[in-house]
Amino acid sequence: MTRTSGRDDSDGTDSGIDSRRRRVLGMAAGASAAAVLPTTGSVGAESDDETVTIVHDTHFHGRFEDAEAAELSLARYHTVVEEHLESAANSLFVGNGDDLAPSMLGLEYEGEHMIEALNETAIDVDGVGNHEYDFGADVATKRFEESEFPWVVANLLDDAGEPVPGTERWTTFEEGGLTIGVFGLVSTTFHSLTDYPAEWQVLGYVEGAQEAVDALRAAGADVVVCASHVSTGVHYTLAEDVDGLDVIVGSHSNIVFDEPEVVDGTVISEFGDEFDHVGSLTLDADGTLVDWRRTDLLAPDADPAPAADEYEEIEVRYADEIPEDETLAALAEEWTAELEAELEQTAFETEVELNATFDNYAIETNWGNLMTDAMRTVGEIGDIEVDIAAQNAGGIRSGSTYGPGPVTGADVMNILPFPNEIEVVELTGEDVVAYLEEAIRPHPSENYGAQPAIQVSGLSYEWWGHDGESRVENVFVGGDPIVSDETYYLAHNDYSIENSDVLSEAEVVLASGQFQGPFVLERLEERDTVAPERENRLLRVDETVGEASVAVGDGETTLTVDVPDGAAAIRPDTFRAVIRTGTDLEATSATVDGDSVGVTFATDDLRALVADIDEPALRLFGGYDPEQAYWDYGFDVPTSSGYEYFQLRADVSATALTGDDSSNGSDGNESDGGNESDDDGSDDGMPGFGPLGALAGGSAGGYLYSRRRSAGDEPAETSESSTDGDD
């Protein structure tokens, strides 16, 4: 096989460069690919030179193994990749980026470990992802130049309009009798996702892709492949609007298709990321799909996906039964030994399961509460009383849960792997509200849903997002209504501060010099046991239904509210009353009667909830199933990480409950820091999906160095720029 590159807008006809990586199976002696891979329907069954098999992809996030199941490793994954490659007449292994970070190892070694590993694999070409720039452009360039394979990205250009340093926009390979063209594509929001220089250019998806396809066709490419690091939805636009594009593999979205899709003649194949799936597509000289295969790699105790029973092309393999590639296994051990010795000790115990999954985009989680509570203590460094802490959900990266039981230092560093420093900014109440509204992010599909996308401490608020609009209401700081012109101190990471329109304009009053991961770990190590709970900090509202009528009895009090428009069914067991401190009380029952629902509470318990609290801002929340025909989104709702139903809100008069004029919660948030609700039952909306992809980081600095600094070291007076993105 020979390769030509496309480093400019020419036809890419450099002299051929042999980039074939080794094709030696890391399997037990005597085994063969033919013995391991089934022949019926298998990739590469044809030996004709007029076909090529594309094996994909990578998206390793700087890891050598899965955060939850060590058996799922790069060493075993590559064994399966080699089997796919060897079973085909002509083949290429195509990566799609996000291979250097984010992870604990990525933070410590800035991707150097992954370049050494990738150089030992069979990878032919890798598409650039946003995480390649986690540690800045200089580090990314160095890693690209250390690679023994090309990195491609067609829509990133430097300030002179040239390919970004160390990369090519596109490249070609000779496989059998075919010329295969490959180009990369990344998100057009690259500047906000990672530490990409402001003066460098990002081209539109269709513009960059069409330019690459045209150049590759001019260079004689028979089949053109996009190594994608853009979101799934963009793929359909590319398929419809880019002429001559045969195949799109990979994505930014961590989506697993049951089978490849063909849209306007373009094959789209997405089989997840990291070590769970290996995909193969076999195409003829016209770029037509003639065969495909997906191998699912499972942890020893995992169950196969339902699709495995429906498609003969899906093969299920349990990771502990797959031989390791010995070279990669030894390399992983070499790179991880020092960190494991330092971090595999138990740091603290948790009495509850800690949720560090991508639920953190959609709901308040107990991990989010635990870590942001720890971040608020950063003020002790500068003797500043921090009122609020926030964390962008995209900076919570492991996608795993932990406990009940011991949690190690490595666990915490895998959750918080970015080189982001904690800073404290000074804000007005009006600024705080503006930031909370700014943080609400729409789902990438147009006019569909939203999610709060942050975790918070010292703060409680209601959020609403729908049709591209976002709103927050009933905002409380430390349990008190926020005041628009009062000063508040907010702790956050420097990435989020720099990339927020609101926070970037605020004064930084403390640059702590503390990376989030090590700082949070040190705070949690000071505690023997943790048991964080959800505390009504982030309250989703899909529809407000006015003020509840209150009927007080000796034993029971009934709050009656309208059934929301577009409700198919009420969920009786989800109703609760909440006051401004976040304390809540579950209802004893909820009963639908025509167009209203009566929610009952024990009278003494409900009165105790508001006792001794002036203006408690008592509110009723409850869940309901949406009527699909009413919510015309084109698919079933709610499709959202962390949510199974919609939620209504009604204000409740504490005066009517207690008969005491000094206690009145019917006005909700009486400060001018929150937005007003019409309370006419017309508010509707829903959150979007979990995150589609990952974020990026910037300034470097290893974990071990940070952990070994003496307690007496002075924090830095200023902090360098670092990013971790929030997609």
Side-chain angles (χ1 to χ4, degrees):
M1 177 194 66
T2 58
R3 178 181 72 83
T4 60
S5 67
R7 295 195 58 86
D8 51 33
D9 295 341
S10 68
D11 63 4
T13 54
D14 288 356
S15 59
I17 303 173
D18 184 6
S19 71
R20 170 69 73 192
R21 303 273 66 81
R22 63 193 181 94
R23 291 284 191 255
V24 179
L25 289 177
M27 304 193 302
S32 69
V36 178
L37 203 64
T39 56
T40 302
S42 65
V43 170
E46 300 182 35
S47 59
D48 191 347
D49 278 352
E50 293 301 301
T51 66
V52 64
T53 296
I54 307 299
V55 181
H56 70 97
D57 51 41
T58 52
H59 217 139
F60 295 139
H61 291 141
R63 304 180 191 277
F64 286 137
E65 62 186 37
D66 185 88
E68 289 189 306
E71 295 87 355
L72 291 170
S73 67
L74 177 60
R76 289 190 170 95
Y77 183 91
H78 190 255
T79 294
V80 177
V81 168
E82 289 279 19
E83 293 167 2
H84 280 244
L85 293 168
E86 291 294 337
S87 68
N90 307 293
S91 58
L92 292 173
F93 179 26
V94 178
N96 76 315
D98 272 8
D99 288 322
L100 307 187
S103 64
M104 177 180 66
L105 290 169
L107 177 60
E108 179 60 27
Y109 300 122
E110 298 183 340
E112 182 181 0
H113 64 302
M114 290 305 299
I115 297 302
E116 183 172 346
L118 289 170
N119 283 341
E120 290 295 330
T121 71
I123 193 166
D124 291 292
V125 58
D126 207 349
V128 173
N130 49 287
H131 284 300
E132 271 62 71
Y133 283 85
D134 274 10
F135 311 104
D138 290 344
V139 172
T141 300
K142 183 176 181 181
R143 297 295 170 255
F144 297 149
E145 292 174 347
E146 291 168 348
S147 303
E148 297 173 7
F149 53 90
W151 292 81
V152 291
V153 57
N155 65 325
L156 295 186
L157 300 173
D158 65 15
D159 52 346
E162 297 295 324
V164 291
T167 74
E168 304 169 11
R169 297 186 68 190
W170 49 77
T171 191
T172 62
F173 301 88
E174 301 298 326
E175 276 295 325
L178 299 178
T179 299
I180 313 302
V182 182
F183 69 94
L185 214 60
V186 295
S187 172
T188 54
T189 60
F190 207 71
H191 280 105
S192 64
L193 288 177
T194 191
D195 193 10
Y196 185 69
E199 65 274 15
W200 287 7
Q201 305 172 47
V202 182
L203 303 181
Y205 301 124
V206 172
E207 177 187 2
Q210 190 65 68
E211 188 174 348
V213 172
D214 291 346
L216 288 166
R217 292 297 185 189
D222 300 294
V223 177
V224 176
V225 180
C226 173
S228 168
H229 204 87
V230 302
S231 297
T232 301
V234 176
H235 291 169
Y236 297 92
T237 299
L238 294 174
E240 293 168 357
D241 294 347
V242 177
D243 295 331
L245 176 57
D246 294 311
V247 188
I248 302 170
V249 296
S251 79
H252 183 54
S253 302
N254 188 20
I255 298 294
V256 181
F257 285 5
D258 286 344
E259 60 180 337
E261 296 186 22
V262 180
V263 178
D264 283 1
T266 299
V267 181
I268 305 173
S269 181
E270 301 183 44
F271 291 146
D273 62 11
E274 293 195 4
F275 313 111
D276 298 313
H277 309 278
V278 176
S280 296
L281 307 174
T282 299
L283 307 137
D284 64 17
D286 296 323
T288 301
L289 181 67
V290 297
D291 199 3
W292 68 276
R293 174 160 295 280
R294 187 183 102 192
T295 299
D296 292 356
L297 286 70
L298 303 182
D301 57 349
D303 294 324
D309 294 330
E310 300 179 20
Y311 296 90
E312 65 178 14
E313 294 88 355
I314 298 179
E315 174 197 21
V316 175
R317 303 279 298 280
Y318 285 92
D320 58 343
E321 300 173 358
I322 300 172
E324 289 188 320
D325 180 290
E326 295 181 1
T327 299
L328 290 175
L331 191 151
E333 174 64 23
E334 178 183 347
W335 280 100
T336 58
E338 183 180 8
L339 275 177
E340 286 182 352
E342 178 105 6
L343 290 170
E344 290 302 330
Q345 310 293 328
T346 296
F348 60 94
E349 300 267 346
T350 177
E351 295 178 355
V352 296
E353 183 180 71
L354 300 178
N355 185 354
T357 71
F358 292 132
D359 284 350
N360 283 274
Y361 275 86
I363 63 174
E364 171 192 342
T365 69
N366 60 359
W367 168 260
N369 291 348
L370 184 66
M371 71 159 292
T372 54
D373 286 350
M375 287 173 61
R376 280 180 63 201
T377 68
V378 77
E380 298 170 5
I381 294 174
D383 198 26
I384 293 174
E385 185 174 346
V386 177
D387 304 291
I388 306 165
Q391 166 66 13
N392 59 316
I396 299 172
R397 292 307 303 168
S398 73
S400 302
T401 60
Y402 302 87
V407 179
T408 68
D411 292 333
V412 175
M413 292 305 299
N414 274 319
I415 296 171
L416 300 172
F418 295 105
N420 294 331
E421 297 179 7
I422 303 175
E423 295 181 343
V424 178
V425 295
E426 180 179 302
L427 301 172
T428 65
E430 184 179 4
D431 294 334
V432 173
V433 173
Y435 168 66
L436 298 178
E437 291 184 336
E438 177 191 65
I440 297 172
R441 51 181 294 159
H443 181 265
S445 295
E446 184 178 1
N447 295 330
Y448 171 69
Q451 48 198 2
I454 59 174
Q455 299 292 313
V456 298
S457 174
L459 190 68
S460 172
Y461 66 98
E462 299 166 10
W463 66 273
W464 182 96
H466 177 62
D467 290 343
E469 179 184 348
S470 59
R471 180 169 73 242
V472 301
E473 298 173 336
N474 288 326
V475 182
F476 303 98
V477 178
D480 294 325
I482 197 166
V483 179
S484 63
D485 58 357
E486 189 169 316
T487 296
Y488 298 92
Y489 294 105
L490 179 145
H492 213 319
N493 64 68
D494 56 354
Y495 161 77
S496 293
I497 291 171
E498 292 166 4
N499 286 278
S500 162
D501 291 340
V502 176
L503 302 185
S504 62
E505 296 297 318
E507 179 184 358
V508 176
V509 296
L510 174 64
S512 72
Q514 301 290 315
F515 287 147
Q516 281 185 291
F519 181 82
V520 170
L521 175 56
E522 288 171 2
R523 286 296 189 258
L524 297 180
E525 284 177 330
E526 296 169 358
R527 305 168 62 177
D528 293 333
T529 305
V530 301
E533 299 177 351
R534 295 173 64 183
E535 299 176 342
N536 296 304
R537 300 182 186 186
L538 307 176
L539 291 161
R540 165 187 170 169
V541 176
D542 292 295
E543 189 157 356
T544 58
V545 291
E547 184 170 324
S549 65
V550 181
V552 181
D554 290 338
E556 286 186 342
T557 292
T558 299
L559 309 180
T560 302
V561 298
D562 293 336
V563 172
D565 293 338
I570 294 294
R571 295 206 173 199
D573 59 349
T574 63
F575 282 79
R576 69 195 192 282
V578 182
I579 59 175
R580 60 180 169 86
T581 62
T583 306
D584 63 10
L585 176 67
E586 292 185 3
T588 57
S589 67
T591 304
V592 177
D593 183 7
D595 293 332
S596 64
V597 55
V599 185
T600 60
F601 294 86
T603 297
D604 290 344
D605 291 343
L606 193 56
R607 284 175 169 169
L609 182 68
V610 300
D612 303 321
I613 298 179
D614 294 335
E615 299 180 356
L618 180 62
R619 292 150 291 158
L620 176 68
F621 294 90
Y624 65 94
D625 294 319
E627 182 181 340
Q628 300 301 327
Y630 181 88
W631 299 90
D632 186 19
Y633 286 111
F635 46 84
D636 288 348
V637 294
T639 305
S640 174
S641 170
Y643 293 101
E644 297 179 355
Y645 50 82
F646 282 9
Q647 184 159 269
L648 64 84
R649 187 208 77 201
D651 294 324
V652 182
S653 169
T655 300
L657 172 64
T658 64
D660 181 1
D661 289 340
S662 66
S663 178
N664 184 357
S666 63
D667 293 330
N669 178 12
E670 300 204 359
S671 80
D672 53 2
N675 290 346
E676 294 297 322
S677 168
D678 293 333
D679 284 343
D680 62 359
S682 63
D683 293 349
D684 51 30
M686 60 179 298
F689 305 142
L692 303 179
L695 346 327
S699 68
Y703 168 79
L704 292 180
Y705 172 79
S706 178
R707 292 277 288 164
R708 288 169 180 164
R709 288 183 1 187
S710 67
D713 285 350
E714 291 295 325
E717 295 182 0
T718 60
S719 66
E720 296 176 354
S721 170
S722 63
T723 61
D724 70 5
D726 59 1
D727 275 356

